[in-house]
Amino acid sequence: MPSPPEAKPPARLRILLRTARPQSDEWRTALAQALPDADIAVWPDVPFAPDYVVAWRPSTEFFNRVASPKAIFNLGAGVEALLRLPNLPPDVPVIRLEDAGMAQQMAQYVTLAVLAAHRQRNAYAAAQREGRWAPLPPGPSAQFAVGLLGLGVLGRACADALRRLGYPLLGWSREPKQVPGVESFAGMDALPQLLSRSRVLVCLLPATPHTIDLLDATRLALLPRGAHVVNVSRGDLVVDHALIALLDAGHLAGATLDVFRTEPLPPAHPFWHHPRIAVTPHISATTQVADAVAQVAAKIRLLERGQAVTGAVDRALGY
Ligand code: NAP
Ligand code: GLV
């Protein structure tokens, strides 16, 4: 009797990974453990046409050399760098990270900045340098409204943390939202009202054609005198010279900036040495390898079974 034909082993998945260079090994190992049925190549090696691309800020050269995959996973929440690529394959789903360990970090960073503004950390640091005993009773948190631009995954995590500290919260999004403890403002017409009431303004919007330069001189001037600005989204949402002018004029009391138009922030940039600006190097919420890989691997498995996944980017909206 002829022996039955040997069953063909299932085809292995092919994944192309592109991360910040020094971390490639860690990502590759984690992805290989999460998806043992996959072959994983690390850019700039492109030994196959990948089923999936898993990448952070690939260059134009990347998609000149890589054929259209089934989906592109963005190793971060913000997708603007990917969407700006002129040769990003059309009609391929782009899937971003949702939280993946970033929401808690962002809530911590924003809470620290809001508390520092409310409890006047800058004023006490100055008083200590001068050896001055100068109590400045803080107003009640119930009178210290925080405006959150963006009520997505990260904005809602910040709202949750700040609500527990008793701050009134005003949240801005494209569509109206119901978030516990947050007064919802939606659309451009509602923005001036939110700005005029925000003692601290936290920017957690994606960078899209609708949000670039959003915080210009006119809108920043709508903030109450003595307000603080916290930008943790992208640098090009805030007009740098407008922010500095309003700080220098005494209209704004301070700014906490984690993101910049050019990163690293150039050494000669005035933000570095401004007495009322706190600068951090884009670390408010960093991508966590284990969380990100677990999320991406779970979504690849769903896609392979023909199931839908969350986190798909709307290219027309830009986020
Ligand atoms: P997300 O879940 O997509 O939320 C985006 C929010 O922005 C949504 O509430 C959305 O409104 C709102 N929005 C978008 N365009 C708008 C517009 N034109 N007018 C009003 N609201 C608008 O994003 P996420 O995960 O929270 O991340 C937000 C951003 O944080 C990322 O895009 C990235 O730039 C930045 N980020 C920074 C760091 C860091 O370390 N500094 C880390 C991670 C992320 P709807 O709810 O109505 O759609
Ligand atoms: C970081 O900035 C991100 O978008 O994940």
Side-chain angles (χ1 to χ4, degrees), residues 174-263:
R174 235 171 20 85
E175 303 291 342
K177 292 275 173 301
Q178 284 201 326
V179 178
V182 180
E183 189 178 344
S184 168
F185 294 77
M188 209 49 100
D189 290 347
L191 184 57
Q193 210 196 331
L194 177 144
L195 294 174
S196 68
R197 289 172 51 195
S198 298
R199 301 284 298 273
V200 178
L201 183 72
V202 180
C203 185
L204 266 164
L205 294 164
T208 74
H210 306 284
T211 62
I212 303 290
D213 294 334
L214 183 81
L215 296 177
D216 58 11
T218 308
R219 293 202 181 92
L220 288 172
L222 294 177
L223 291 166
R225 191 170 179 81
H228 289 249
V229 172
V230 180
N231 188 13
V232 279
S233 70
R234 288 292 184 263
D236 39 16
L237 272 69
V238 175
V239 176
D240 294 2
H241 60 82
L243 179 66
I244 289 178
L246 284 159
L247 286 164
D248 290 346
H251 183 75
L252 296 177
T256 301
L257 306 176
D258 184 50
V259 287
F260 306 93
R261 285 174 184 260
T262 305
E263 293 183 1

Side-chain angles (χ1 to χ4, degrees), residues 56 76-78 102 234 282 285 287:
W56 179 239
M102 288 185 281
R234 288 292 184 263
H282 200 141
T287 307

